[in-house]
Amino acid sequence: MKLQSAARLANARPGHAMHKALRLPAIVLAAAMASALLPAATGTAHAAAAQQKTQVPGYYRMMIGQLEVTALYDGYIDLDPKILKYTSAREVQSLLARMFVESTPGMQTAVNAYLINTGRSLVLVDTGAAACFGPTLGRIGDNLRAAGYAPEQVDAVLLTHLHGDHACGLAPNGQPAFPNATVHVDKADADYWLSEANAAAAPKEAQGLFAMARAAVAPYQAANRFHTFNGGNGTEPIPGVRALPAYGHTPGHSGYLLTSGKESLLLWGDIIHSHAVQFRRPQVAIEFDTDSHAAVITRKRILADAAKGKLWVGGAHLPFPGLGHVRRDTAGYTWVPAEYGPIRTDR
Ligand SMILES: [Zn+2]
């Protein structure tokens, strides 16, 4: 195969590629001789470079009009493909394979949060999982600092919902991580997750989720910094940020829409958990949904709106940084990720 493609390349660009192909063995030979001879000649061994095995800091920045948006990486969790509903194991495997997503030990699923500097205030949308779901998560604080900010500078935290992978970062170890921030969430989510009666009535395996939500907001409630809003068209929990009800995944699950100039960014929370499966098949739901049927209706509506409005999207569980666009195709939707680049101010 390699020889054939080298020959094709050589035929296509005889002057250049053929010359290179012919020279290659000599270069390889020279390199081999050099590595064999150099240590003996100089008397100093040249050790192989150690692999670094560290990753770049988990933040990515871009402008949406005049808003500075910084995606923050909390980490990842491996999800079992079996938790996807309204599909078959066979369909899931083929959609994962199509996008080269491995399913063992699970589908690697990012947890992202978004920090918006409006120029007047610093707003964090979601806070990551802290220690609630194990050691592969809980990096929001480190990455916020790596991005040049301090947790004390955050003026407001907007939660898309009260699941632990979005809310636990509010109060690791019971202490407020953002001591100067007010915290905002849709009233329907607060009513559901903070209710003692709901917690008591929940199946045993779900009770942890209620406990996490209550522990996360407790220090902010105690300091009178916890606020709920009534989701509905036009609701602005803080000036300039519109809440968009996206109920289903949880009773008050909300997106946040920020607009500056001609550009809008929709931070949509948990509209998509599996990018490989759900853009193509929006009707596929996940076991974590409080109401999967409503979640599917919401997903279809939000995907259609995002594609039609050509909105920038930020997704809590899209591959980091989770920023990009949604395109409608004949076979569903396609995720078009943002291209890495500098902060552009010339357009
Ligand atoms: Zn989530």
Side-chain angles (χ1 to χ4, degrees):
M1 279 303 285
K2 269 184 187 160
L3 279 176
Q4 280 172 8
S5 50
R8 264 204 299 278
L9 191 64
N11 286 340
R13 297 155 64 203
H16 187 69
M18 183 65 94
H19 182 62
K20 256 194 173 170
L22 289 174
R23 271 183 52 186
L24 199 60
I27 292 169
V28 171
L29 189 63
M33 283 171 67
S35 66
L37 294 176
L38 258 179
T42 61
T44 53
H46 180 73
Q51 294 180 340
Q52 298 302 302
K53 307 248 175 108
T54 53
Q55 190 47 277
V56 295
Y59 73 90
Y60 179 75
R61 193 166 276 150
M62 64 179 290
M63 297 299 288
I64 298 284
Q66 298 299 308
L67 305 172
E68 184 205 68
V69 177
T70 307
L72 301 174
Y73 186 63
D74 192 51
Y76 71 92
I77 189 156
D78 284 330
L79 294 180
D80 185 341
K82 288 199 192 97
I83 63 174
L84 294 170
K85 295 163 65 172
Y86 311 148
T87 178
S88 64
R90 199 174 151 166
E91 179 177 66
V92 168
Q93 285 309 324
S94 103
L95 289 170
L96 293 178
R98 179 180 164 268
M99 294 301 282
F100 303 92
V101 172
E102 300 202 20
S103 55
T104 48
M107 307 176 289
Q108 181 176 305
T109 305
V111 174
N112 310 320
Y114 296 91
L115 185 70
I116 320 296
N117 190 336
T118 68
R120 276 180 298 174
S121 59
L122 193 60
V123 181
L124 179 63
V125 177
D126 289 335
T127 66
C132 281
F133 295 100
T136 61
L137 294 160
R139 307 285 182 276
I140 290 296
D142 291 346
N143 286 325
L144 184 141
R145 285 183 200 90
Y149 290 102
E152 294 76 18
Q153 291 179 291
V154 175
D155 297 300
V157 174
L158 305 179
L159 298 171
T160 56
H161 59 301
L162 279 167
H163 275 167
D165 53 322
H166 302 255
C168 281
L170 278 175
N173 315 313
Q175 297 303 310
F178 309 101
N180 299 312
T182 53
V183 175
H184 307 259
V185 70
D186 188 293
K187 186 170 185 300
D189 235 50
D191 287 350
Y192 182 79
W193 292 107
L194 305 180
S195 151
E196 266 180 56
N198 283 354
K204 210 172 167 210
E205 63 275 14
Q207 284 183 0
L209 291 175
F210 288 89
M212 284 173 194
R214 291 165 68 189
V217 302
Y220 299 86
Q221 286 176 313
N224 263 333
R225 292 180 169 276
F226 181 72
H227 304 287
T228 60
F229 55 84
N230 284 304
N233 283 339
T235 306
E236 290 195 354
I238 59 168
V241 183
R242 223 173 99 189
L244 290 185
Y247 303 159
H249 178 57
T250 63
H253 180 266
S254 299
Y256 294 103
L257 185 70
L258 299 103
T259 298
S260 176
K262 284 181 289 182
E263 294 192 302
S264 288
L265 168 67
L266 171 61
L267 299 172
W268 74 18
D270 284 18
I271 290 300
I272 298 278
H273 289 89
S274 167
H275 67 96
V277 174
Q278 291 171 302
F279 280 110
R280 193 91 164 176
R281 299 270 190 281
Q283 67 271 32
V284 174
I286 195 161
E287 275 178 18
F288 309 143
D289 295 330
T290 308
D291 180 345
S292 284
H293 183 65
V296 167
I297 293 169
T298 294
R299 178 162 35 260
K300 288 179 174 174
R301 171 172 59 83
I302 300 263
L303 286 172
D305 289 351
K308 195 170 168 216
K310 297 184 164 58
L311 303 177
W312 276 101
V313 165
H317 299 304
L318 295 176
F320 185 78
L323 292 164
H325 289 94
V326 176
R327 187 179 67 223
R328 183 164 216 153
D329 290 322
T330 46
Y333 293 91
T334 296
W335 175 240
V336 184
E339 178 185 334
Y340 180 94
I343 302 298
R344 297 284 299 259
T345 52
D346 57 340
R347 63 183 189 198

